[in-house]
Amino acid sequence: GGVGIAAANGVRLQPINVSRLRSTFEFICCRITSRDVSCVVLLVYRPGSAAICNAFFEELSSILDHLATLDAPLIVAGDVNIHLERPDEPHSRRFTALLATYGLQSHVSSPTHDHGGWLDIVATRVDLPAPTVEVIHPGFSDHRLLRWTGELHRPAPVYSRVTSRPWRKINI
């Protein structure tokens, strides 16, 4: 297990510090910028040998709370070792609901493991174009390699007009 992000020349990686230690999974978070387009990627690895517990969902939710405030499209990818092909299983339902809370949806729809489970994810916001996800057998692992392509669109900012006056100009 473990996580790592590498980039080609011309692609800039900027780490994002969410400043809390995690005990139930490993992760890396960074802003990836190429030319004038950027996105935030959270790469997650939750060991399959560890039991799925409430702390995992709470810790992941804490990170997603922080990332939801950023102004770039978010991609959550990695090996969560939750059987997402079984939508009625409690852990799968809870994980899918957690993603939905942040407007995210996984786009993996085929087995990512030798034993047929959908244990890996590529999740993006539902209001952005869905990526095309390829599941590739690299030949040296029981997990598949996920390669995805997609268009990045910065979400339109939400503006609101506020009329106010300075405190010193209020007639008491």
Side-chain angles (χ1 to χ4, degrees), residues 3-45:
V3 292
I5 295 178
N9 287 337
V11 176
R12 192 176 78 212
L13 301 177
Q14 178 183 8
I16 296 175
N17 183 5
V18 289
S19 73
R20 294 185 181 98
L21 295 176
R22 304 286 163 234
S23 61
T24 60
F25 63 97
E26 298 175 39
F27 72 94
I28 292 177
C29 187
C30 71
R31 180 181 298 269
I32 300 175
T33 305
S34 177
R35 296 185 186 139
D36 62 344
V37 178
S38 71
C39 66
V40 172
V41 173
L42 174 65
L43 188 59
V44 176
Y45 169 67

Side-chain angles (χ1 to χ4, degrees), residues 71-125:
D71 65 344
L74 174 63
I75 300 170
V76 179
D79 178 4
V80 293
N81 278 302
I82 296 174
H83 283 273
L84 298 173
E85 79 280 6
R86 301 176 192 161
D88 294 331
E89 234 178 51
H91 296 304
S92 177
R93 215 178 17 229
R94 186 170 179 190
F95 184 77
T96 303
L98 176 64
L99 290 178
T101 299
Y102 295 94
L104 300 168
Q105 177 182 13
S106 181
H107 302 286
V108 176
S109 58
S110 62
T112 63
H113 191 268
D114 280 349
H115 297 293
W118 299 5
L119 307 178
D120 304 272
I121 65 163
V122 174
T124 61
R125 288 188 17 189

Side-chain angles (χ1 to χ4, degrees), residues 150-172:
E151 295 180 39
L152 287 180
H153 297 284
R154 184 177 300 248
V158 177
Y159 296 105
S160 62
R161 178 172 231 155
V162 177
T163 303
S164 65
R165 69 173 63 162
W167 283 105
R168 67 182 176 273
K169 294 198 175 201
I170 294 179
N171 184 350
I172 297 176

